[in-house]
Amino acid sequence: MAERSFKKEVQQLRIPAGTEFRGEGILAITKALLQSGVGYVGGYQGSPISHLMDVLADANEILDELDVHFETSASEASAAAMLAASVMYPIRGAVTWKSTVGTNVASDALANLASGGVTGGALIIVGEDYGEGSSIMQERSHAFAMKSQMWLLDPRPNLESIVQAVEDGFELSEASNTPVMLQVRIRSCHVHGRFITKENKRPAFSLKQALERPVRDTGRIVLPPASFVHEQEKIRQRWPAAVKFIQSRGLNEFFDGDVEDIGLILQGGLYNGVIRALQLLGLADSYGNSRIPLYVMNVTYPVIDDEVVRFCQDKRAVLMLEEGQPDYIEQNLHAILRKNKVDTLLSGKDVLPVAGEYTTDVMRTGIEAFLKTHHPELLATHDAVAVDAPKPAAVPITFHPKVQALAEVVPPRPAGFCTGCPERPIFAAMKLVQQDLGEHHVSCDIGCHLFSILPPFNLGATTMGYGLGAASSSAFNVKSGKRAISVMGDGGFWHNGLTSGVANAVFNKNDGVIVIVDNYYASATGGQDIPSSRADNPNRTTKNPIENAIRGAGVKWVRTIDRTYDVARMRKTLDEALTTTTDGPKVIIAQSECMLNRQRREKPLFAKAVNGGKRAVKERFGVDPDVCTGDHACIRLSGCPSLTVKDSGDPLKDNPVAHVDSSCVGCGNCGEVAEAAILCPSFYRAEIIHNPTGTDRVLARLRGAAIGWLQRRRAARLARLAL
């Protein structure tokens, strides 16, 4: 069950040629693939590209009509290896994944693909999320393009440019026999706009035809001596062919301005931000017309020497806006200008940050610093045009006063698990075990469970990559009084963890503990199905138990907990794993459904039942303020967003009491933690019955009468004692 359904939106993929398409960047990319005659598509989900996989899955019927094969790959490496179909056959193929983390995983397959080259167009759509909105290490995809000699497109963030880049990417790949990377940043993925459609195309050469007419060309296979020839072919044939295509088709764009002696060179993906920055400086209008000439690099690799020289040769100074580091493009430009004896001053990281995302404010500041040195009069004499009323010089970026006031009141809050998340009790149990056995080294993994590193759990020392939780603790396989603990999710397990983690631990007789969090989905990327999902999936095979795979890899000590909210059982199992005398890896499979996906599935059914007059019961938990002492240990061992504090109403209690707010989903974790930790009896469970039956009403009256009698007796007793 994906995070969002695109069943309605994908119908736009059927609209005829010449029609105006309106929608999000992700949907436009899908339409562009179909217009380009793609033959197969694969990939691995991950922000900001997850929705592309979801759109393709929801468009399965349309893809089938066009004979386009689509599959969700087991990993980015699996996706990249799919492109092997374009090596021998003139079939267009596309794969997609999340930024550098995906390219890291896929790099071996990509290197082989780029070495032998391709016959059909091969397009890698990379969801680039460099910057503060990212959840990964801060690197760029540019280095991989340079390393393996693949061409990198970075189109301007509007639908027309993005769609054109997809079509150009396939043609560039075929013209130069080279795979092409298309980088779409977060804003490109989610930007809304319009473009005029073309007709969807069936693949000119299908996968079925390829199977029926197999081709074998040893010159494309990466084996000596062919591999030595590939290197020469890249430089002598593919590179010149790519440069010729890029120039002849005008993939990079030149925008004139009336200030002719300076200029800006920028990556295509930064275009919208640069125009906005120029607006704030009074140097561009709301239609994108800039007074300063622009050279927009929609192709950031290879850099086209002739275009750089042509743009720079009549200018005193040029500013290069290249997000991130190292400054690959800026270094390249320096080499091009000096080799061609062009003495234009090139500015870049001297006025712009070396690292970090280039937001509008950052670029405005950098451009302003560049102009103060090379054209200060531009800042002094022109009005800003990006505001309701013109003002002299630059316009400050401001926030609403209420937003600023709110930031002063609301305390910073670390990222954490969702309300009712089944992973929270796992780490509560781990904290309780460590109170008894002392702290242990904990190796974490990529996924929701990585939030255990942050408060209130503060567990985990390292994270090395998706599915590498167990592998990252392998060095600690030494004799000691304590065992290392490693954690991975079910998504990470199927992605990489079965071989690199579990099988590796079995092979090396690792004595550590491996906790596999099985919440039925690849939850962190949007709730997509995986091999061990419990849901019926018409297009995928699910319900493949993790335990079967683990035992098949040779693990002897396995414990499966089918309800993670049972904190006491979870605690006992962890304690056993850390103290048993059994040799080899100890694996705990902790199973409970992702609460977000569960709520997405159950809420509509619950509402339908209630509206239909059927009896429906909703569980909620609460805290008795008269019993709660205000110790707040329950909060320190839970961290649930629905568990908060409120004033006790008792003048004799200094501390606020615990309180469960209306966002509670009734998972029961807070009460389970309180019981397992032997904290207090203040938690209670209540059942809210919609459309109660006659029996429910009778029982409610009986309970009310009994409780009322007990309360009156207690009140009378207190009154007597008071006398």
Side-chain angles (χ1 to χ4, degrees), residues 16-69:
T19 306
E20 185 178 77
F21 179 104
R22 296 188 180 191
E24 195 177 22
I26 289 289
L27 200 63
I29 292 171
T30 312
K31 178 67 171 124
L33 290 172
L34 301 182
Q35 291 180 176
S36 301
V38 70
Y40 62 94
V41 188
Y44 194 86
Q45 59 273 352
S47 176
I49 211 70
S50 287
H51 285 170
L52 179 55
M53 298 297 294
D54 298 336
V55 166
L56 288 163
D58 286 339
N60 206 62
E61 183 181 335
I62 299 171
L63 299 179
D64 287 344
E65 292 171 5
L66 294 169
D67 289 330
V68 178
H69 172 67

Side-chain angles (χ1 to χ4, degrees), residues 644-657:
T644 181
V645 295
K646 72 172 185 178
D647 184 71
S648 66
D650 186 342
L652 298 179
K653 286 185 179 180
D654 294 331
N655 295 328
V657 295

Side-chain angles (χ1 to χ4, degrees), residues 230-469:
H230 294 163
E231 185 182 21
Q232 298 299 321
E233 183 183 314
K234 284 180 178 180
I235 302 304
R236 296 180 180 179
Q237 297 174 34
R238 300 184 205 167
W239 185 296
V243 170
K244 181 180 178 182
F245 181 90
I246 293 164
Q247 288 184 299
S248 64
R249 296 291 290 271
L251 301 193
N252 295 320
E253 298 174 281
F254 295 85
F255 295 94
D256 294 330
D258 63 279
V259 184
E260 298 179 350
D261 60 339
I262 60 172
L264 305 181
I265 301 177
L266 57 139
Q267 296 166 291
L270 300 180
Y271 176 81
N272 290 4
V274 169
I275 290 298
R276 178 60 177 161
L278 290 171
Q279 283 181 303
L280 294 170
L281 292 169
L283 297 171
D285 62 24
S286 56
Y287 298 99
N289 299 308
S290 168
R291 296 197 59 217
I292 301 175
L294 308 176
Y295 173 42
V296 181
M297 300 176 69
N298 294 314
V299 182
T300 53
Y301 189 79
V303 177
I304 310 302
D305 295 25
D306 291 348
E307 293 183 352
V308 173
V309 171
R310 173 156 56 97
F311 182 76
C312 294
Q313 60 185 358
D314 296 326
K315 294 178 174 58
R316 291 188 294 108
V318 168
L319 174 63
M320 174 70 224
L321 292 105
E322 176 185 7
E323 186 176 57
Q325 52 85 31
D327 53 348
Y328 299 117
I329 303 175
E330 187 176 335
Q331 292 180 44
N332 201 339
L333 296 189
H334 274 296
I336 292 169
L337 295 177
R338 303 316 158 224
K339 286 178 182 178
N340 287 277
K341 296 181 172 54
V342 177
D343 59 1
T344 301
L345 188 146
L346 180 65
S347 186
K349 299 293 185 185
D350 55 331
V351 295
L352 287 157
V354 174
E357 183 180 1
Y358 279 11
T359 62
T360 296
D361 191 33
V362 166
M363 291 190 288
R364 190 270 304 269
T365 302
I367 294 171
E368 186 175 25
F370 171 75
L371 294 175
K372 282 180 179 177
T373 301
H374 301 287
H375 237 306
E377 65 276 11
L378 288 176
L379 298 173
T381 60
H382 295 283
D383 291 341
V385 296
V387 288
D388 295 334
K391 295 180 182 179
V395 179
I397 296 177
T398 60
F399 297 96
H400 194 282
K402 289 185 178 179
V403 175
Q404 290 179 316
L406 190 65
E408 296 173 3
V409 175
V410 178
R413 178 175 171 178
F417 299 105
C418 302
T419 301
C421 176
E423 302 187 14
R424 181 177 286 107
I426 298 171
F427 300 105
M430 197 176 292
K431 288 288 285 186
L432 292 170
V433 168
Q434 290 197 140
Q435 285 181 3
D436 298 332
L437 302 181
E439 291 193 1
H440 288 63
H441 176 85
V442 180
S443 297
C444 294
D445 205 327
I446 302 299
C448 299
H449 38 84
L450 193 57
F451 292 133
S452 63
I453 287 180
L454 302 173
F457 302 108
N458 302 304
L459 292 165
T462 58
T463 176
M464 298 305 293
Y466 198 27
L468 294 175

Side-chain angles (χ1 to χ4, degrees), residues 478 620 721:
V478 295
R620 284 292 180 267
L721 292 174

Side-chain angles (χ1 to χ4, degrees), residues 507-695:
F507 183 67
N508 289 292
K509 297 183 178 180
N510 193 300
D511 195 42
V513 176
I514 303 171
V515 179
I516 299 175
V517 181
D518 180 6
N519 57 25
Y520 305 3
Y521 310 93
S523 298
T525 60
Q528 294 81 6
D529 281 336
I530 52 177
S532 53
S533 294
R534 309 298 200 277
D536 291 316
N537 190 315
N539 302 310
R540 307 283 179 266
T541 300
T542 53
K543 303 179 182 178
N544 300 290
I546 289 175
E547 183 173 341
N548 290 358
I550 287 173
R551 291 194 183 278
V555 178
K556 306 300 181 187
W557 196 101
V558 182
R559 301 289 186 272
T560 298
I561 297 176
D562 56 8
R563 183 175 175 273
T564 62
Y565 298 103
D566 190 341
V567 177
R569 185 182 172 198
M570 191 76 224
R571 178 182 184 179
K572 181 180 178 181
T573 306
L574 278 165
D575 189 286
E576 181 188 357
L578 291 168
T579 57
T580 181
T581 57
T582 304
D583 293 330
K586 271 63 70 175
V587 178
I588 300 172
I589 307 170
Q591 301 174 329
S592 276
E593 184 178 11
C594 166
M595 185 56 73
L596 279 181
N597 275 44
R598 180 179 172 182
Q599 292 296 311
R600 290 187 194 111
R601 188 185 70 255
E602 291 184 351
K603 276 186 175 180
L605 298 176
F606 187 89
K608 183 178 180 181
V610 172
N611 293 334
K614 294 182 180 179
R615 181 181 185 273
V617 180
K618 182 180 291 184
E619 286 189 344
R620 284 292 180 267
F621 285 76
V623 176
D624 188 335
D626 293 332
V627 180
C628 177
T629 63
D631 173 69
H632 303 154
C634 51
I635 295 176
R636 293 195 296 273
L637 283 170
S638 170
C640 179
S642 69
L643 192 58
T644 181
V645 295
K646 72 172 185 178
D647 184 71
S648 66
D650 186 342
L652 298 179
K653 286 185 179 180
D654 294 331
N655 295 328
V657 295
H659 172 67
V660 180
D661 67 23
S662 59
S663 67
C664 171
V665 295
C667 71
N669 177 55
C670 49
E672 293 273 1
V673 168
E675 183 178 343
I678 318 174
L679 294 173
C680 68
S682 60
F683 285 92
Y684 64 84
R685 180 175 64 87
E687 290 185 348
I688 303 171
I689 303 176
H690 297 260
N691 302 318
T693 64
T695 303

Side-chain angles (χ1 to χ4, degrees), residues 122-299:
L123 191 67
I124 302 109
I125 303 169
V126 179
E128 192 82 349
D129 63 346
Y130 179 87
E132 293 183 4
S134 170
S135 61
I136 61 158
M137 81 294 287
Q138 293 298 279
E139 292 186 356
R140 296 160 56 200
S141 300
H142 199 99
F144 287 94
M146 296 173 64
K147 175 189 77 70
S148 295
Q149 299 286 280
M150 298 180 290
W151 318 137
L152 179 61
L153 307 184
D154 186 5
R156 289 194 289 142
N158 65 72
L159 263 55
E160 288 184 345
S161 296
I162 295 167
V163 169
Q164 188 63 48
V166 172
E167 297 174 356
D168 289 339
F170 280 121
E171 293 186 39
L172 173 59
S173 176
E174 291 163 344
S176 60
N177 301 116
T178 303
V180 171
M181 298 175 72
L182 172 61
Q183 173 180 294
V184 282
R185 301 158 189 259
I186 294 176
R187 291 173 179 82
S188 297
C189 290
H190 301 302
V191 68
H192 282 253
R194 64 186 73 182
F195 68 95
I196 303 301
T197 61
K198 299 177 184 177
E199 202 68 49
N200 291 340
K201 298 179 185 176
R202 289 179 176 274
F205 190 86
S206 69
L207 293 166
K208 183 178 178 181
Q209 288 175 291
L211 284 171
E212 292 171 350
R213 305 177 209 164
V215 173
R216 181 171 173 273
D217 179 3
T218 55
R220 291 264 183 222
I221 300 173
V222 187
L223 261 178
S227 54
F228 306 122
V229 177
H230 294 163
E231 185 182 21
Q232 298 299 321
E233 183 183 314
K234 284 180 178 180
I235 302 304
R236 296 180 180 179
Q237 297 174 34
R238 300 184 205 167
W239 185 296
V243 170
K244 181 180 178 182
F245 181 90
I246 293 164
Q247 288 184 299
S248 64
R249 296 291 290 271
L251 301 193
N252 295 320
E253 298 174 281
F254 295 85
F255 295 94
D256 294 330
D258 63 279
V259 184
E260 298 179 350
D261 60 339
I262 60 172
L264 305 181
I265 301 177
L266 57 139
Q267 296 166 291
L270 300 180
Y271 176 81
N272 290 4
V274 169
I275 290 298
R276 178 60 177 161
L278 290 171
Q279 283 181 303
L280 294 170
L281 292 169
L283 297 171
D285 62 24
S286 56
Y287 298 99
N289 299 308
S290 168
R291 296 197 59 217
I292 301 175
L294 308 176
Y295 173 42
V296 181
M297 300 176 69
N298 294 314
V299 182

